[in-house]
Amino acid sequence: MTRIRGLQVIAAAAAGVLGLLAEGTAFEWANPAGWLPDVIVGWTCVGCGLLAWSRRPESWTGPLLAATGFAWFIGNFAGAGIAPVAWVASQLLFLHRAVVIHAVLTFPTGRIASRTGLVAIVLGYASSIVPPAARSPITAVAISLLLIGVALRDYLVAPHPARWARGFALAAALALGVVIAVATLAHAAVPTGGLDQPVLLAYEASLILVAAFLSVALATTRTQPGLVADLVVELSGSEGGTVRDALARAVGDPSLEIGYWDPAAEAYFDSAGEPVHLPHGNAKRAVTRFDVDGRQTAVIVHDPAVLESSELSESIRTTARLAAANTRLRADVLDQLAELRASRRRLAVAGDAERSRLERLVEDGPLRRASALAEALSETQAMTAGSRDDPVRRKIEQARSVLEDAREDFEGLARGLHPRILTAAGLAAALQHLASQSQVHVDLVVDVDRFPEAIEAAVYFVAAEGLANIAKHARASRASVAIRSLGDKVTVEILDNGVGGADLGAGTGLRGLADRVEALGGKFDVDGSHRPGTRLVAEIPVIPAAT
């Protein structure tokens, strides 16, 4: 930056000296009407160019405007007393016209972005340094029309990010082209020179206005790198499915497609997993490929005009690489998340299987033996019914009572582990039995068929824990349990008319239910603010998650 400022200071000083020398060579100092407008044009172009250069050092528009001012002063040396200097100056008399056309057609970057623009700029320089063409009215009019035509064409085909900047260039091209054409035709129509001074003043005014206009516009217009920097920010926050939409919107091509390379399939696919077919021999569609470390990464299928700007093309290449890397990272995260969910599901299913196994062990082992022992005690008690040994009967009665309590505990434990009725008779029967055992009145609605064992177990335990919480904490007199099948999921809704206030984070019971439901890919919610009472809702996918 220090080096650029040094060059700007040198250029300003050189413009000051060159301007004074040029005006002293071409005009008499006693005639300010001749040299004053002339020096204002040159210094204005240089000043606007240096100002634009200082504000936007990455753009070549500023240096081109400054060069226009220097080229303007060079023409004044055509009347110098030194023959070689006069000859060179006479050859470059109209050079400033080519330079300002160059600045207009490459605004705002100052770099040639299209073949059409390159042709127009080359013709502009050729027509300005070849004396016969430079002094030809036909050439001047043709260059004016070419300037306007190319600026209009560049505006119409410009991608969305560049459209605003190309509008400034089109306005400058119209002003400059019309003045050059009208001035040339007016001069040709009045060959006596009667319009020379007004025509010259109009031309000088147009150069001043164009230089000032482009300088101000450059300070208020984003260049391509800035535009695409905004695009990168937008894309970096986009979901995978919106990257294509964001890029298409940014470059103004609704038909744009992005394909990501799949090495396994050796083909390109979009973010939805659909194949992207590359056009062959289609002049209306272009394909831009992106490689990272020499490996195929992504491809963009687009309108050829979208990437006509080399700067925009390179910036979008960088953006597409970032988008492709982001998509791969997102896919990796989703794969890991899917594996985590599958792992949680496997743990839930395995837990249910283990609970069912323990339930069978309890029923087939301790519970069966306790029942057999209770039966034996009952028989023994009957055999001693006629005995006068009251202490023996009392001991047997006490033992039978303790054993009956133990048997009931074993039954409760077995039901808590995994109710056998759920496996044997199904979800509806298990829920009906559960409702009949509840301490509050339960209105039960079961509008479902059979489901996989893990899902039925989750539904059952959600209902069981919900009713247990109501009995313990809600101080309710009624509850409702509704089990419904809605498309690809089963819903559990439990309502009570109690005091409310249930909180998912307040205890381990509801949190454990939430973990079980979420392990199956479902959703669990508790609304303690429901009036009256509490509303508990669980949604569980019917289709088993991938394992």
Side-chain angles (χ1 to χ4, degrees):
M1 184 61 68
T2 302
R3 180 173 178 273
I4 292 178
R5 288 177 180 173
L7 292 175
Q8 292 167 352
V9 171
I10 294 174
V17 173
L18 183 63
L20 293 176
L21 290 175
E23 303 311 320
T25 301
F27 300 97
E28 295 290 337
W29 291 113
N31 180 24
W35 62 263
L36 187 58
D38 194 89
V39 77
I40 289 176
V41 172
W43 281 348
T44 299
C45 289
V46 173
C48 289
L50 295 179
L51 177 62
W53 192 13
S54 65
R55 294 292 298 275
R56 302 293 283 271
E58 79 280 359
S59 171
W60 284 97
T61 298
L64 285 172
L65 291 177
T68 301
F70 281 101
W72 175 263
F73 286 136
I74 289 175
N76 285 356
F77 291 98
I82 303 175
V85 174
W87 183 85
V88 171
S90 65
Q91 304 303 307
L92 303 179
L93 186 62
F94 294 97
L95 178 62
H96 68 276
R97 186 173 67 189
V99 180
V100 74
I101 288 174
H102 187 169
V104 170
L105 292 182
T106 59
F107 182 84
T109 66
R111 296 173 176 84
I112 300 173
S114 67
R115 293 180 180 178
T116 307
L118 174 62
V119 170
I121 291 169
V122 170
L123 290 176
Y125 280 105
S127 66
S128 298
I129 62 177
V130 178
R135 292 175 172 79
S136 169
I138 297 176
T139 301
V141 173
I143 289 297
S144 301
L145 296 177
L146 181 62
L147 169 64
I148 296 172
V150 172
L152 178 60
R153 181 263 179 195
D154 287 349
Y155 174 79
L156 294 176
V157 303
H160 179 72
R163 185 67 57 83
W164 183 247
R166 296 312 307 162
F168 285 119
L170 177 59
L174 285 170
L176 185 62
V178 168
V179 169
I180 292 176
V182 171
T184 301
L185 293 175
H187 181 76
V190 185
T192 58
L195 295 178
D196 282 357
Q197 190 63 21
V199 166
L200 179 60
L201 289 175
Y203 181 60
E204 291 172 337
S206 70
L207 288 176
I208 292 173
L209 290 175
V210 166
F213 178 72
L214 291 182
S215 177
V216 173
L218 187 64
T220 58
T221 302
R222 295 176 299 169
T223 57
Q224 300 286 16
L227 291 164
V228 179
D230 293 346
L231 173 61
V232 172
V233 171
E234 181 180 0
L235 292 183
S236 65
S238 298
E239 297 294 331
T242 66
V243 171
R244 190 219 69 85
D245 297 334
L247 184 57
R249 182 172 61 254
V251 301
D253 181 11
S255 64
L256 180 143
E257 295 179 273
I258 300 181
Y260 303 103
W261 179 251
D262 183 348
E266 295 188 347
Y268 290 99
F269 295 88
D270 62 19
S271 58
E274 296 296 325
V276 174
H277 301 290
L278 305 185
H280 298 286
N282 186 352
K284 295 183 179 180
R285 305 298 291 161
V287 175
T288 301
R289 302 175 188 270
F290 307 105
D291 297 336
V292 175
D293 298 329
R295 295 177 299 173
Q296 295 184 85
T297 302
V299 66
I300 294 182
V301 182
H302 57 88
D303 187 313
V306 167
L307 301 186
E308 192 172 57
S309 166
S310 58
E311 259 190 59
L312 182 60
S313 174
E314 183 55 36
S315 298
I316 293 181
R317 286 176 186 272
T318 301
T319 302
R321 293 188 188 101
L322 290 175
N326 185 47
T327 298
R328 286 199 303 273
L329 179 60
R330 192 187 303 276
D332 290 342
V333 171
L334 291 178
D335 287 343
Q336 293 176 14
L337 181 59
E339 178 56 32
L340 176 61
R341 288 173 175 168
S343 177
R344 292 183 65 188
R345 180 181 179 84
R346 288 192 295 270
L347 289 174
V349 171
D352 285 337
E354 182 64 16
R355 291 161 69 98
S356 180
R357 188 184 70 84
L358 291 175
E359 181 265 342
R360 289 193 300 272
L361 287 176
V362 170
E363 287 204 350
D364 295 341
L367 185 57
R368 177 174 294 181
R369 287 191 290 272
S371 297
L373 183 56
E375 184 178 350
L377 287 174
S378 296
E379 293 176 355
T380 302
Q381 187 179 22
M383 292 171 61
T384 60
S387 174
R388 296 180 180 180
D389 191 355
D390 292 337
V392 173
R393 289 200 307 271
R394 285 196 300 270
K395 288 293 184 181
I396 293 175
E397 179 63 27
Q398 290 174 358
R400 194 177 67 82
S401 177
V402 171
L403 188 59
E404 186 64 28
D405 291 340
R407 190 179 66 82
E408 291 179 357
D409 288 342
F410 280 129
E411 286 180 345
L413 175 61
R415 286 195 302 270
L417 288 172
H418 192 89
R420 177 163 290 191
I421 188 175
L422 180 63
T423 303
L427 182 61
L431 291 173
Q432 288 171 359
H433 179 73
L434 181 66
S436 68
Q437 301 297 313
S438 176
Q439 298 179 22
V440 299
H441 177 79
V442 178
D443 296 318
L444 179 64
V445 176
V446 181
D447 185 19
V448 296
D449 296 322
R450 295 301 302 265
F451 295 118
E453 190 174 318
I455 296 177
E456 288 192 339
V459 171
Y460 176 86
F461 283 113
V462 167
E465 183 67 25
L467 291 177
N469 277 348
I470 292 173
K472 292 178 183 177
H473 309 296
R475 299 201 295 273
S477 60
R478 298 184 69 88
S480 67
V481 178
I483 316 296
R484 295 184 174 88
S485 179
L486 300 176
D488 60 351
K489 62 186 177 183
V490 59
T491 65
V492 183
E493 183 180 46
I494 302 176
L495 297 172
D496 67 71
N497 63 350
V499 296
D503 184 2
L504 184 59
T508 59
L510 292 178
R511 183 66 261 174
L513 288 181
D515 290 343
R516 171 185 281 271
V517 171
E518 291 168 2
L520 297 173
K523 299 178 181 179
F524 186 86
D525 183 59
V526 176
D527 183 5
S529 63
H530 189 272
R531 291 292 180 270
T534 298
R535 179 174 181 265
L536 182 153
V537 178
E539 296 181 355
I540 306 173
V542 173
I543 301 175
T547 57

